[in-house]
Amino acid sequence: MRKTIIAGNWKMYKTIVEAIELANGLKRELFDLAGPDEIDIVLCPPFTALTEVFEVIINSNIGLGGQDMYWQDEGAFTGEVSGKMLKDAGCSFVIIGHSERRQFFGETNETVNKKIKAALKHGLTPIVCIGETLAEREKNMTFDVLKEQAHNSFKDINAEEILKTVIAYEPVWAIGTGKTATPAQAQEAHEYIRDLFVKLYGEKAARALRIQYGGSVKPENTAELISQPDIDGALVGGASLNIESFSQIVKRASEVKK
Ligand code: 13P
C-alpha cells in the first residue's frame, strides 16, 4: 500500500500574513483527518513564509516543503537557498525540477540530479517533477521525454534512495491551464513511469514508489484521478491557494480506497 501524498505548491503567491492565514485555515479544516501515517499533506509556500507557516503547522498532521533548493550547503551563491537551510526552516520535503524552473530558470536533468542527491543528504524528501510539453505530446514524444528525464535525473541514485523520493508527473500543458489530463491519460503516463522504475530499480522498489499527478487538480477531479491504480497523490498549484479548495482536495483524496 502506497501512502497518498497531497502537496500544495503555492508558487510565487502569498505574503507572510496571507500565508499564515491560509495555513491556519487548512490546519483548522484538516485537523481531524487521518494523521501522517495514512496520508501526507504538504504545504510548499515561498521561501519568505516558510518559518511562519512552520510555526502554524508544527505538531499538526501537515508537513512543510520548499519549492526548490541549491545543491551546495552554503557559499557565495547569491539568491540560492540550500537543503540545509530548508531543513533548518522546518521542511521535510522539497520540490525539485518543476517545469517552471526548467522553462524559466535553466533547470536541467543534470542540475535536478545534483539537487536530489543534496536533498536526500539532508533528509528531505524530494518531490521530483517530470512531464512533457504540449508540442512533445503532439509529436508522440511523451514516453521518450519521460524516459530521458527519469534516466538522467536519477543517475547514480540507488534503490534505497528512490524509496525516499516522490515523483510528480506534471504534463506541462495541464499546468495552470484548467486542462486536466483525463484519468486515463494520467494513468497511462504513471504506469509508463512505474515501468521505467521497475527496469531501473526492480519490481519491489518501483511498486513502493509514490507517483503524484499535477496539472489543474481541483476538488471535482481529485477522486477520479487518485482512484487510478498508479496515481498516488496530487501536486496542486492554483487550487492550493484557497482554504476551501485545497482542504476539499485533501478530504476527497483521503476518502479514496484502493
Ligand atoms: P495547477 O494546479 O495550477 O495547474 O499547477 C500545477 C503545478 O504546477 C503544481 O506544481
Side-chain angles (χ1 to χ4, degrees):
M1 257 295 271
R2 295 183 294 266
K3 186 172 31 152
T4 301
I5 171 165
I6 307 292
N9 175 8
W10 295 5
K11 306 193 178 182
M12 200 175 73
Y13 290 98
K14 305 293 177 191
T15 60
I16 293 173
V17 169
E18 291 165 346
I20 293 171
E21 192 189 332
L22 177 53
N24 264 317
L26 292 171
K27 188 168 105 169
R28 195 174 56 237
E29 286 295 323
L30 299 172
F31 82 97
D32 59 350
L33 213 72
D37 290 345
E38 288 166 56
I39 185 168
D40 277 322
I41 308 166
V42 186
L43 307 183
C44 304
F47 293 138
T48 45
L50 281 173
T51 305
E52 283 80 2
V53 170
F54 184 60
E55 278 167 18
V56 173
I57 61 176
I58 193 167
N59 296 327
S60 78
N61 54 351
I62 304 176
L64 188 70
Q67 297 178 16
D68 185 29
M69 59 171 275
Y70 194 57
W71 58 82
Q72 300 276 6
D73 290 353
E74 58 182 21
F77 302 106
T78 302
E80 293 296 316
V81 168
S82 71
K84 185 177 163 187
M85 291 167 177
L86 291 183
K87 198 74 192 168
D88 187 42
C91 291
S92 13
F93 294 82
V94 57
I95 299 171
I96 292 179
H98 191 280
S99 64
E100 284 148 17
R101 300 234 45 100
R102 295 177 189 263
Q103 202 178 341
F104 304 125
F105 303 101
E107 188 87 87
T108 64
N109 292 327
E110 288 66 38
T111 57
V112 167
N113 181 252
K114 290 184 184 176
K115 291 180 180 185
I116 297 172
K117 289 175 184 164
L120 290 167
K121 184 181 97 175
H122 289 290
L124 292 162
T125 300
I127 298 177
V128 183
C129 303
I130 57 176
E132 80 288 358
T133 62
L134 182 60
E136 288 161 346
R137 177 161 279 263
E138 285 174 345
K139 281 190 249 158
N140 267 331
M141 286 166 59
T142 299
F143 290 166
D144 296 335
V145 170
L146 294 176
K147 187 173 181 177
E148 200 214 332
Q149 289 176 335
H151 277 224
N152 295 328
S153 302
F154 289 94
K155 204 161 170 274
D156 302 324
I157 287 167
N158 64 36
E160 195 186 318
E161 290 167 328
I162 206 77
L163 289 174
K164 296 180 186 150
T165 303
V166 174
I167 310 285
Y169 168 61
E170 296 209 312
V172 179
W173 49 272
I175 296 179
T177 57
K179 232 201 248 178
T180 322
T182 64
Q185 277 174 325
Q187 167 56 26
E188 183 189 38
H190 282 233
E191 193 178 346
Y192 177 77
I193 294 165
R194 198 173 304 285
D195 284 346
L196 279 177
F197 282 90
V198 169
K199 291 191 191 95
L200 289 172
Y201 295 101
E203 196 73 37
K204 192 161 169 245
R207 296 282 156 230
L209 177 66
R210 295 188 290 172
I211 310 174
Q212 294 175 290
Y213 168 79
S216 299
V217 174
K218 306 184 254 309
E220 304 81 63
N221 57 28
T222 300
E224 210 185 343
L225 285 162
I226 309 270
S227 303
Q228 301 301 310
D230 287 293
I231 302 184
D232 307 312
L235 182 54
V236 187
S240 74
L241 298 172
N242 174 281
I243 298 168
E244 173 66 15
S245 53
F246 191 65
S247 57
Q248 277 300 321
I249 288 172
V250 175
K251 285 176 189 172
R252 291 184 194 197
S254 72
E255 284 160 8
V256 174
K257 298 277 172 278
K258 293 205 206 175

